[in-house]
Structures are given as structure tokens and as C-alpha cells.
Amino acid sequence: MEMPFRIRTSKFRHVYGNPAKKEECYENVKITKSTHDSNFCAVNPKFLCVVPDTGGGGSFICLPLKQTGRVEFSVPRVCGHSGAVLDIKWSPFSDNIIASSSEDSTVKIWQIPDNLNKNLSEWQVDLHGHHRRVGYIEWHPTAENIILSAGFDHKCILWNVEQAEPISVISEHPDSIYSISWNTDGSLFCTTCKDKQIRVLDPRTTSVAMEGQGHDGNRSSKSVFVDNNRIFTCGMTRTSGRELAVWDIRNFNNSLFKSTIDTSNGILLPYYDRDNRVMYLAGKGDSNIRYYEIDDQSNCFFLNAFMSSFPQRSLGMMPKRGCDTSRCEVSSQFHSDIYPNTASMLPSLTVDEWICTDGHVTNCPKTTSSTAIQNQQNDIIHQAPTITTYKTVNKQGMPTRANTIDVPRRTDKRPASLQNLKRLSTNEDYVSYSAVSEFTENHTNKNGMTNGHKEEKKVTKKGWSPVSPTKDTMTNGFTGSEPEKFHVKKVWSTPPPSALPCQSPLNDVELQKAYFQQSEEIKSLKEQVKLKDKRIRQLEDELKILRTPSDCGPGQSDC
């Protein structure tokens, strides 16, 4: 006899969430009241970062996970943005590197020390290229030191963090961008836009690979890659109902799955666990988090929901390598089917290898076993990658991953953009230098006395040419006289390798490109100064009006 219905088998049917105990929570943290629909929270196995409510400027706080409890108002902050911080994301390959985007149209990369005891205002890399505020950022899932940013200037920029310069600029959106998400191997990324379109873009060709109609509502919609061929989206219907859907990027005509869950006003934020294929849906202002399981047929099955009495403002998802699997086990046996391999901290490619690799070559993220993470949680030493500068790898004859690329290490810790600014921001025709000891020849006489014989050098375009010493150039080593000065004429030519020990030699085209980039930055800063001056004049006018004595007599109103 055939059964009237069948019970679907699932490993996560009884999944549930438990709130942390009071001694494991943070108190007195004032979350930002910004209405921007991005993540104001980021977490990794070391730190919890939150964007707080500030009176002016942009900053965020990094709290160690081992130091819970009440957070003092004087807690050290990461401050350097001139506008409010809109999004923060930890690097997937280092627990101490975090990126932040802001209303000041910049993206900054920070190196967070393990013991942060004072305000951190020195960033590692400063990325300029957007003309309006930057709302969303996403690190590349397989290649290190590559980050994608989306701004309200309707542009997506792919950045080379090592060189502090853009790899590609995508200008395929006619309106505001609502979300960005990489696929599994980082060969494509998807976006949702205010024009209600879902776009899949190729970061190498900077073109739209696929495009289709998304949700019909006017509110913001979000998207996330389920795998390399499917996209999960959540948005609004025409009747203001919250809706979720699954799409095949090879055919956007019809969705694989679509369902309306409720009629609330909050914007849904999706958080996907690729290892277990579980989707977590959380809404800003909601007090619940829903769990869905996505199967091979693209069906979304509701599992359970976490309920709370407090509305949520910001959310962050801990990587699997930071979770303690023993806290969820009811037996001493480890269940590898529930805890499969997860993404590790080792990148599959460097930034130069990703740029030179053909787009058809895929590189999946390197994984690690959950049992290995659990066994090494107490004594693991993270070999976190650092932001270094490498020579560009030529596409012809590029060595394989097994070979070692012999490249010089960066010795200058300043960002490349700052070095270009200091090299190109001066416009004097001549620079004065003082004679130093390396141009001094010491001669010892018979009496043991030492005379410093200084030989003057005249700078020409081709190189140094000696000048015969004169009486004025002869000094005695015991007189303690002032060192002489000579003048060098500046010319626009390729600097020698010795002048730039931290970079490869640059040609005229690259120097001119850096010069015009800095010109755009200076132009943007001048516009900001004009706006501030205009506001100051308005306040001065208001102050004059307030200080003007009133003509009303006693007992009369001056309204």
C-alpha cells in the first residue's frame, strides 16, 4: 500500500540556536543608527568588529573574543575615515587584516594588532577611485589581496591591494547597486540593482555575462551565489511581501524556486553556509533568524527559526574554523557528514597569478578538515599572510603553482598611493641636498691627523661628473663646519632601481597615470573643502542674525 505522504530526510531538521550566556556577551556597545542595509558587524576567530554610533567621522571597534563583558566608552577605535563607515569585512586569509568602506568614497585596509591598546589611525592601504560613497565590499574567495567594492556612483571596482590600484572598473549598472557576491571559485560575481535586474559579471572582461529580471518590489533586494550556477535572492513583491527565490544563471527567464514568507517591512539579509547548504535569513529590525536548506533541485525547505525578544541591527557570520564543534555534540563520536571540510586560510592564488591566469581556469578554495581544526584550536599558530609587493608576473612562461616565484620583499611599509603622492606632489625645479659621508674621502697624514677632503659633484642628465676641488671645498675634520650643499635639477625620467627599493622600475606612462590619479584625489578634496567652507559661511550668517539686537519694545515678541 502506497504511503499518502513521504517524510523528507534531512540532517538538519532539528537544528536550533542558543543565545550566549551573559558572561559570554558584550555590554554597553552602542550600535550605529545608520539606515544603510549592509553588515555593520564582522567576526572571525580572533575579533568581533562593530560599527558604533559616532558623532562625526568614521570609526569602528575591534573587541577580542576572549575579553567579553562591559565595554568601556574609552575602548580603542580604528579611526581614519572622514565619513561614516558603511561596511567592514575580514580577510578570509588573515585574522588580522580587515577592510572598511565609508561615505568618504574610499576603501581602507587595516592591520589589527592582537593587543590593541590605543586608537589605530594608520591604515595599510588607501584605495581611491569611487566618486561617491562606497556601500559594499567583498574579498575574493580564492586569491589573496583582491577585493571588490561597489559604490553609489554605479560602479564596481576590483582592487589589487598589493599595488593599491584598480585591476578593472565595471560600469554596467544604470542605478544604485544593492548587493555583490562572488561565486565559489571567484570567476564571476553577481549584483542586484535598483532597476530590479540581477546581473552576473565577469571581472576580467568587465562585461555582463548574464542578466535577468529579479523581484518586482521597489525595496532593496539581496543576492548570494549558492554554487557556480545558482543564485539565491531575497526581495519584495509588488504587494510589499518579502520573497525569496533561486535562479539558474544559464536561464533567467523563470526562477527555479520562489516563495513569499511574510509581509514585514525589514530588508532580508542572506548568510549562506556552502559546506552544509543551509541559508540563514535575518532581517534588520526583526527578532528572528530563519533557517532554510537548499537541495540539489533548488528547493528551499524551512528548517527552524531562532526567536529573540530584541530586534537585531547588525549581523556577522563566524567562519567554520572558529567554531567549537564539541559544544554541539551529544556523543563522543565526531560526525563528519554534519561537519564537512571547510575553507582554510591558505589562498589558491596570489594576486599576480590570478591576473595572469586565463578566465577559463578555475581554482576552488583550499579546504581543511573540521577535525583538524578542533584538534589544533588550543595550540595552532596561524601563519597569516602579510600585504607585500611583488613583481608583476608575465603571462608568457608563467611558472606553475608548484614552482617558487623569486620576488623581492617590500621594505617600505608606506602604501603605494602615499609613495606616489610624495613623489609627484612637489613641483620645484631644483632640490637642495647636503654633502654626506659617502662622498667624503678621508686621508690620514703622518702625524695621525685626519683631514676630510670633500669632492663636489655636479649633477647632469647622464650622471655624476667630478669637479676639481677648490679652496672652498677643503675642510678640516676637526673644525666641525657645516656640510656643504649642492643642487640637483629635477627631470621627468625613469627613476633608477636604487631610488625605489620597494618597487620595480616605473616608466613614464605609469608615472603619468599615478600623477593623474592623485590629481583626481586632490580635486575631490578641494570639492569637500568648498562644501565645508560654504557650511561655515552659513553658520556665520546665522550667528550674525542671532547677535543683531531686536527692534521690539518691552513686552513685545520678536518672533
Side-chain angles (χ1 to χ4, degrees):
M1 183 176 179
E2 187 177 357
M3 296 286 292
F5 62 90
R6 295 180 61 183
I7 298 177
R8 188 183 65 88
T9 58
S10 174
K11 303 173 186 177
F12 310 101
R13 179 180 301 277
H14 304 290
V15 64
Y16 63 95
N18 279 332
K21 298 179 181 179
K22 185 177 181 180
E23 56 268 17
E24 298 177 352
C25 297
Y26 298 92
E27 298 180 355
N28 196 33
V29 179
K30 297 182 179 180
I31 310 297
T32 179
K33 298 178 182 178
S34 174
T35 57
H36 183 59
D37 53 355
S38 68
N39 303 309
F40 294 109
C41 175
V43 64
N44 68 6
K46 283 187 177 181
F47 299 99
L48 168 67
C49 282
V50 179
V51 179
D53 188 17
T54 58
S59 64
F60 57 93
I61 57 177
C62 290
L63 305 173
L65 294 184
K66 298 180 180 179
Q67 300 178 6
T68 57
R70 182 177 178 83
V71 178
E72 299 296 334
F73 180 77
S74 59
V75 63
R77 301 194 178 196
V78 181
C79 48
H81 287 285
S82 59
V85 176
L86 298 180
D87 199 5
I88 49 176
K89 290 291 171 60
W90 285 107
S91 170
F93 309 118
S94 174
D95 288 340
N96 294 86
I97 295 177
I98 190 172
S100 62
S101 64
S102 171
E103 289 185 351
D104 61 4
S105 307
T106 65
V107 177
K108 287 181 171 56
I109 312 298
W110 309 83
Q111 183 88 23
I112 307 298
D114 291 335
N115 298 320
L116 184 62
N117 51 17
K118 62 179 181 179
N119 289 346
L120 179 63
S121 58
E122 297 181 1
W123 54 82
Q124 295 293 316
V125 181
D126 192 13
L127 304 176
H128 292 261
H130 288 282
H131 299 289
R132 296 184 63 185
R133 55 180 179 158
V134 185
Y136 310 97
I137 51 177
E138 283 290 342
W139 289 94
H140 196 279
T142 60
E144 64 174 341
N145 293 335
I146 294 181
I147 192 170
L148 177 69
S149 63
F152 282 81
D153 54 358
H154 311 161
K155 293 181 181 179
C156 293
I157 301 180
L158 189 66
W159 299 95
N160 181 347
V161 175
E162 290 181 357
Q163 300 292 340
E165 62 184 12
I167 300 174
S168 58
V169 179
I170 298 96
S171 303
E172 298 290 338
H173 298 83
D175 214 323
S176 300
I177 301 170
Y178 285 151
S179 67
I180 53 176
S181 174
W182 290 100
N183 64 349
T184 305
D185 56 19
S187 59
L188 300 171
F189 70 93
C190 66
T191 63
T192 54
C193 185
K194 192 176 181 179
D195 62 354
K196 305 176 185 179
Q197 294 289 317
I198 304 172
R199 293 177 176 85
V200 179
L201 301 107
D202 189 340
R204 290 183 172 87
T205 62
T206 68
S207 60
V208 177
M210 300 88 174
E211 183 177 1
Q213 179 69 26
H215 299 277
D216 298 329
N218 295 324
R219 298 291 300 277
S220 174
S221 60
K222 303 295 179 180
S223 63
V224 60
F225 261 104
V226 175
D227 50 34
N228 284 336
N229 295 323
R230 294 182 297 172
I231 297 176
F232 177 91
T233 61
C234 50
M236 293 284 186
T237 63
R238 292 182 179 178
T239 57
S240 299
R242 295 199 292 190
E243 185 180 50
L244 54 89
V246 179
W247 310 81
D248 189 343
I249 63 175
R250 295 163 294 188
N251 183 15
F252 271 112
N253 295 329
N254 295 312
S255 60
L256 301 178
F257 176 85
K258 184 175 288 187
S259 175
T260 303
I261 55 176
D262 58 18
T263 57
S264 180
N265 294 326
I267 297 174
L268 291 173
L269 302 177
Y271 299 86
Y272 185 58
D273 181 4
R274 285 193 173 95
D275 303 332
N276 296 326
R277 298 191 297 183
V278 176
M279 181 68 69
Y280 301 90
L281 281 182
K284 285 200 171 184
D286 293 356
S287 57
N288 61 348
I289 301 175
R290 297 177 175 88
Y291 316 143
Y292 290 87
E293 184 178 4
I294 303 177
D295 62 2
D296 296 331
Q297 289 74 31
S298 302
N299 295 317
C300 294
F301 297 99
F302 176 76
L303 296 175
N304 205 341
F306 170 77
M307 305 297 295
S308 174
S309 58
F310 301 99
Q312 54 217 11
R313 293 186 184 178
S314 59
L315 302 101
M317 191 171 183
M318 170 73 77
K320 286 289 190 63
R321 52 187 174 82
C323 299
D324 186 2
T325 58
S326 61
R327 298 181 61 179
C328 303
E329 292 287 349
V330 295
S331 62
S332 59
Q333 183 180 2
F334 181 81
H335 297 277
S336 58
D337 57 341
I338 299 179
Y339 304 106
N341 292 349
T342 187
S344 67
M345 295 182 63
L346 299 177
S348 301
L349 295 170
T350 64
V351 57
D352 293 324
E353 290 173 343
W354 185 88
I355 294 173
C356 297
T357 302
D358 189 2
H360 298 286
V361 179
T362 59
N363 294 274
C364 295
K366 292 186 178 182
T367 59
T368 183
S369 173
S370 299
T371 56
I373 296 176
Q374 180 61 29
N375 295 333
Q376 298 177 4
Q377 276 184 348
N378 297 328
D379 56 352
I380 186 171
I381 300 177
H382 296 288
Q383 299 296 335
T386 57
I387 300 176
T388 56
T389 302
Y390 297 91
K391 287 183 178 178
T392 304
V393 181
N394 295 327
K395 189 171 183 179
Q396 293 81 6
M398 187 186 70
T400 59
R401 182 61 177 167
N403 298 335
T404 302
I405 303 173
D406 188 12
V407 293
R409 292 290 180 180
R410 178 177 176 178
T411 58
D412 195 341
K413 300 300 183 181
R414 295 178 301 169
S417 59
L418 180 59
Q419 297 172 22
N420 293 336
L421 179 62
K422 288 186 176 298
R423 186 169 64 254
L424 299 172
S425 59
T426 56
N427 55 4
E428 294 84 5
D429 292 333
Y430 291 89
V431 179
S432 298
Y433 291 90
S434 298
V436 292
S437 61
E438 60 178 321
F439 302 121
T440 303
E441 297 179 359
N442 296 325
H443 301 278
T444 306
N445 56 15
K446 295 180 181 180
N447 298 328
M449 298 179 64
T450 302
N451 291 331
H453 178 75
K454 296 186 178 179
E455 187 176 47
E456 184 180 359
K457 306 289 184 178
K458 182 173 68 176
V459 179
T460 63
K461 186 174 183 181
K462 294 183 180 180
W464 296 90
S465 61
V467 178
S468 59
T470 61
K471 183 178 180 180
D472 295 334
T473 60
M474 301 291 292
T475 58
N476 189 286
F478 293 94
T479 59
S481 59
E482 291 285 335
E484 292 183 73
K485 293 185 179 180
F486 56 91
H487 304 283
V488 179
K489 185 176 181 179
K490 295 174 59 178
V491 294
W492 186 273
S493 61
T494 303
S498 60
L500 297 174
C502 61
Q503 294 181 342
S504 59
L506 302 176
N507 53 30
D508 292 349
V509 177
E510 292 174 337
L511 287 174
Q512 291 176 6
K513 178 182 176 181
Y515 173 79
F516 289 117
Q517 287 179 354
Q518 300 300 333
S519 299
E520 290 293 331
E521 297 176 16
I522 294 173
K523 182 179 178 181
S524 177
L525 292 174
K526 287 182 178 179
E527 293 177 355
Q528 296 180 14
V529 171
K530 288 181 180 179
L531 293 176
K532 294 183 181 297
D533 291 340
K534 182 179 179 180
R535 179 56 181 165
I536 291 174
R537 288 192 296 269
Q538 292 177 353
L539 294 175
E540 289 177 349
D541 294 339
E542 294 177 3
L543 186 60
K544 290 180 181 180
I545 295 174
L546 293 175
R547 290 180 176 178
T548 302
S550 176
D551 297 334
C552 299
Q556 296 181 353
S557 175
D558 59 350
C559 297

